[in-house]
Amino acid sequence: MNIILLSGGSGKRLWPLSNDIRSKQFIKLFKRGESTLGEYESMLQRIFRQIKAAEPDASVTIAASKSQVSAIHNQLGEHVDISVEPCRRDTFAAIALATAYLHNVKGVQAEEAVVVCPVDFYVEEGYFDCVKAMYKEAAQGEKKLVLMGIEPTYPSEKYGYIKPARTDDGGYCYAFTEKPTKEEANKYISAGAFWNSGIFAYKLGYVLEKSRKLLGTSDHALLLSNYSFLKKISFDYAIVEQETSIAMIRYSGAWKDLGTWNTLTEAMEEEIVGEAILSDSCENVHVVNELGIPVLAVGCKNLVISASAEGILVSDKEQSSYIKLYVDSITQPVKFAEKSWGSYRVLDVQEESMVILVTLNPGSKMNYHAHYSRDEVWTAVKGNGTAIVDGLAQMVRIGTVIAMQAGCKHTVIAGEQGLQLIEVQMGKSISVSDKKKYEMPKIYANNQKGFN
Amino acid sequence: MNIILLSGGSGKRLWPLSNDIRSKQFIKLFKRGESTLGEYESMLQRIFRQIKAAEPDASVTIAASKSQVSAIHNQLGEHVDISVEPCRRDTFAAIALATAYLHNVKGVQAEEAVVVCPVDFYVEEGYFDCVKAMYKEAAQGEKKLVLMGIEPTYPSEKYGYIKPARTDDGGYCYAFTEKPTKEEANKYISAGAFWNSGIFAYKLGYVLEKSRKLLGTSDHALLLSNYSFLKKISFDYAIVEQETSIAMIRYSGAWKDLGTWNTLTEAMEEEIVGEAILSDSCENVHVVNELGIPVLAVGCKNLVISASAEGILVSDKEQSSYIKLYVDSITQPVKFAEKSWGSYRVLDVQEESMVILVTLNPGSKMNYHAHYSRDEVWTAVKGNGTAIVDGLAQMVRIGTVIAMQAGCKHTVIAGEQGLQLIEVQMGKSISVSDKKKYEMPKIYANNQKGFN
């Protein structure tokens, strides 16, 4: 079974846990399957695990923007297939590019089917039986497009609807309609309509042909090089709404859009993630705390409290869908990020300096790079590794201090225990964009494990 | 006019802004007098400024425990008189010690009067006219003890009451009674009683005599050396309640006990101190944020939100008097403190390391000291200074890195711009008690300005 996981954008609605780099699907908030170790997984990790459990041989491709690649490698490993979007061009371009990636890069035949699935829904295992059924239906090829229909529980104005319809030859099919008014929604529901879940299955050839028609090409390399010029249009609008040959598979289990703090906390199994104390007088309070200091809530009702290196949110749950408006007014550099080699977290920002906790996973390494407007000092506080600075390698142990002037090329390779560094940056204009990558000196390029 | 300012204890009720070292009177929350610079002052600084404005020649002595000395010097300068209590023995011992300090150390005659005044009340300037009147009344010596009476606004069970009474010779005087029940309080109020404000004026000789009677001596050196054995008893209970010769001065202006977050926020002139955004839908919300990251509150009502290196509090205002119970369960080393030389703030705590932002005021210096269970690395990020490490002096500029192994003696003297260091501590058992002070090497002892 071929699956494309659509990894969406914006990180404003779940601030401060999400930011410009970490979208909501990367936040680790869900208890991992059968784990009793108190380990948490992200929506991306959860859905990836659920797919692999339902279909161990599933071939998964993740459609994601360039800025998400590091986080995906961090969470799913280095070997996951990613269809990298150079920029954001809405879902039709993203799906067209990923479909072309499957065809041209992974060699999947045009006659084969694929299911496209967003990663930001919280679903039960039974969901993936429906996904498999959609794949089968699409592979059979009776209809061109297979949708998943969710039984509606109220006349939502937020979802698109899939309505039963008649085909020209008198048979049954479905038609899709975008977000209706409440009145229309009520009519649809009495006529037997379903919510559109945003999952589609089709044969590759179907979208390749639509690509040629709407974007001028279905070639992966061409789509990629012209990506920023592609039409910004949603798959729903460009394809689904125009299609008359639609089949539908029903799903009636848990299906939650975790787009706001309110819906997200409903899906959390515990009131508290991180360090926190709730007084007995608290009611319906959730705390997600990523800082190393305790949160104490006393006498609070219907609140979500969340703290990260980005900031602290205290919001009434029902009003949590309005936080984007205010988060937009907060302008600051990104304070934490997951990288392919580990993660970093800003500990302190002063006018001309910044302190960062850098955590490298065992055996991983940064790019060989230099900064030109800041000096840096590393102090190793945990683990071990090898630093390469201006071509010279040196062992790094707890207590090792390395001072690097602006312009100095450097990297570090974590040993088997991983490595944690306190990085002090100093300069008049500290910016993440002040970074130039270099090729690793040849002598080390083949010995990426350093001294370990 | 002689004044003793009583600097009280516990830091639990205003957590996370107060901690075991910083009691509530040291928190900078009040807009400074006429300052338009957005500068804030603490209760201690405010009351000190108000006294100096009302009576420029007032001779102020602060009665404080040993652990508060650094913070007092930081906030009021090096030259303020402090009667240092080696430990806490309640208010009678503290007032006896401070009175003996005035007599034996400052040479104030037993015939002179003094006013004892707690620092944790928020008052208007007119209050100090009453303080002056109390001083005059005590100096006249008609009654032995002069109290300040606050006109009661409700039958509080929290305050002591001053009731009008008859003297044996048929004249008027006052009697004091400890916290009554609500019913009793109502009776007192109809009989014309006042709240006891906790301010007392007397002639030094009065308390010196009580000291001899109750503590066996009125000698400052003896009281000091036996301080930990002195009776733990309040001044109200030991003296005021027993006294029949009491005069009273009325005060009817603002008088607020700032002991809980609820009363404290009532006295704040602004909803926000520090970085914060309140949505339009917030009502009666106060934010005090000492962290370098923004707080966003959306749709909150009647809340106090406070963040510091110690932790994050979100509390219903009315329930904020109950936070102590929960704060008691939080056990962690102190995360920030004001020292005579500046301040420090913990940025990060890992299992075997800690990162600290150290800020030295211009020209100030730490003690020459060593740690025996941890290594330390300093990286200077702001200002300049001179470090002395195992007897060797070296200049410190932005970017200077000094790595010190356990056992190494060290200090740093800030230059004219002050100095900011990032200190990385590494060791298996990091503790503030792991510190041994040494004498500064003679060669530097007379050149305390270092290279600047």
Side-chain angles (χ1 to χ4, degrees), chain B residues 216-384:
Chain B
T217 180
S218 68
D219 179 74
H220 180 256
L222 279 174
L223 285 171
L224 196 62
S225 57
N226 293 300
Y227 201 77
S228 66
F229 304 110
L230 298 185
K231 221 174 173 175
K232 233 179 177 172
I233 186 171
S234 78
F235 191 80
D236 281 351
Y237 190 76
I239 307 295
V240 190
E241 208 159 336
Q242 322 300 329
E243 188 52 70
T244 54
S245 173
I246 293 181
M248 192 191 79
I249 303 287
R250 293 182 189 195
Y251 170 67
S252 55
W255 178 78
K256 291 174 188 166
D257 174 1
L258 304 187
T260 68
W261 271 110
N262 197 14
T263 50
L264 184 77
T265 52
E266 274 174 23
M268 282 171 58
E269 284 159 38
E270 297 162 308
E271 293 173 307
I272 295 172
V273 174
E275 205 181 332
I277 299 170
L278 301 183
S279 75
D280 301 335
S281 53
C282 283
E283 280 172 35
N284 188 24
V285 173
H286 276 84
V287 180
V288 182
N289 178 13
E290 291 195 339
L291 295 179
I293 54 175
V295 166
L296 168 59
V298 177
C300 299
K301 291 188 175 48
N302 309 317
L303 282 190
V304 56
I305 302 168
S306 181
S308 80
E310 296 290 330
I312 299 165
L313 172 73
V314 181
S315 176
D316 176 73
K317 283 188 179 173
E318 293 217 339
Q319 292 197 40
S320 63
S321 51
Y322 305 122
I323 70 168
K324 187 176 176 296
L325 180 69
Y326 301 98
V327 174
D328 280 338
S329 72
I330 299 171
T331 53
Q332 58 180 8
V334 162
K335 294 282 188 70
F336 60 77
E338 284 184 338
K339 309 293 282 182
S340 58
W341 44 258
S343 63
Y344 71 81
R345 182 153 70 86
V346 173
L347 299 179
D348 188 57
V349 181
Q350 304 285 323
E351 225 173 297
E352 296 183 5
S353 69
M354 208 147 138
V355 183
I356 294 171
L357 174 66
V358 176
T359 305
L360 288 108
N361 297 328
S364 61
K365 65 168 204 298
M366 297 175 182
N367 288 304
Y368 194 53
H369 67 281
H371 314 286
Y372 290 89
S373 299
R374 66 172 185 259
D375 304 332
E376 288 188 350
V377 176
W378 283 341
T379 303
V381 294
K382 198 175 175 185
N384 64 344

Side-chain angles (χ1 to χ4, degrees), chain A residues 30-100:
Chain A
F30 306 100
K31 273 219 151 170
R32 176 167 299 175
E34 302 111 42
S35 164
T36 51
L37 293 171
E39 285 176 290
Y40 293 90
E41 61 185 1
S42 68
M43 282 188 245
L44 177 68
Q45 291 174 315
R46 182 183 152 90
I47 211 163
F48 195 80
R49 181 176 56 74
Q50 287 175 320
I51 288 169
K52 288 292 185 180
E55 184 72 50
D57 294 333
S59 168
V60 180
T61 300
I62 299 174
S65 74
K66 211 178 145 191
S67 64
Q68 299 182 331
V69 171
S70 291
I72 293 170
H73 282 151
N74 180 300
Q75 297 200 345
L76 300 180
E78 285 291 336
H79 301 296
V80 66
D81 282 315
I82 307 178
S83 163
V84 182
E85 302 146 23
C87 57
R88 286 282 171 202
R89 302 306 293 166
D90 215 331
T91 47
F92 177 61
I95 291 171
L97 185 75
T99 305

